[in-house]
Amino acid sequence: MGTVLGAMRNVRWHELQHAYGSASQVPGVLSRIAWGDAPTSDEALSDLERWISTPPVFDSTAATVPFLWELAATDTVRDRAGVLDLLATILAAGNAEHPAWTRAAHDAVAAGRATAARLAAAPDTPEVGGPSPARTVRTAATRLLTAIDRHACPACTGPSPHAAQVH
C-alpha cells in the first residue's frame, strides 16, 4: 500500500461495525477511493458514506476519519472535495444511542482542522472548461473549516467522556 493508507493495517476493522455489519471491508473501500478510476472512486466514496455516516455514526467512523484526512491531503486522489464533504457529513451526523461514538467521530474530524486550513489556503490553478480541481478542493475545505469552527452538538459539549476514565 505504500505510505498512503499504510497505517490501515494497524486497525482491527473486523472488531468494528458500520451500518450494514462488520467494518472489515472499509480498508478496501478506502483503497478504491485512493487509487481507483473515477467511477470506482465515486462508488467507493458513496459506499463509505452510507456505511459510516448516514444517518448515524458508528464505532468504525472515528477509526476511518484519519484515513479520510490522509486522502483529502493526497494530490493524486481523484475526488478530494468529495472526501472533504464526507468529513463534513460525519461532523453533522450523530448517534443518540452511542454519544461516545459521536464525540469520537467529531473529535477525529476536528483533529484534521490544520489540514482543512492548508487546503482552504491552497492557490488556485485555473483550467479551461470549468472550475479547477484545486478550486473545488479549496471550496470544500473552506466549508468544512467553517463547520469545524462552528460545531456544537450535545455529544460534544461538556467534558470528554474519556476524562472521567482518567484517574
Side-chain angles (χ1 to χ4, degrees), residues 6 10 19 28 42 81 86 91-92 97 105 127-128 130 132 137 140 147 154 156:
N10 299 328
D42 290 347
L86 177 53
L91 188 63
E97 293 180 22
E127 287 189 16
V128 177
S132 72
V137 168
C156 296

Side-chain angles (χ1 to χ4, degrees), residues 11-117:
V11 177
R12 301 178 95 164
W13 296 102
H14 64 283
E15 294 177 5
L16 302 175
Q17 297 291 308
H18 62 57
Y20 301 102
S22 171
S24 61
Q25 314 92 328
V26 169
V29 173
L30 288 167
S31 295
R32 289 192 344 248
I33 294 168
W35 297 292
D37 59 15
T40 300
S41 178
D42 290 347
E43 180 183 1
L45 195 55
S46 177
D47 286 347
L48 194 59
E49 182 173 3
R50 281 194 324 275
W51 291 357
I52 67 167
S53 70
T54 307
V57 297
F58 295 87
D59 59 350
S60 64
T61 306
T64 304
V65 167
F67 301 108
L68 293 173
W69 277 118
E70 188 175 349
L71 292 174
T74 302
D75 291 335
T76 56
V77 172
R78 293 183 185 276
D79 190 4
R80 294 165 63 207
V83 172
L84 291 165
D85 289 341
L86 177 53
L87 287 163
T89 298
I90 291 167
L91 188 63
N95 189 325
E97 293 180 22
H98 298 282
W101 293 354
T102 300
R103 183 156 189 166
H106 293 179
D107 286 350
V109 172
R113 188 188 184 289
T115 299

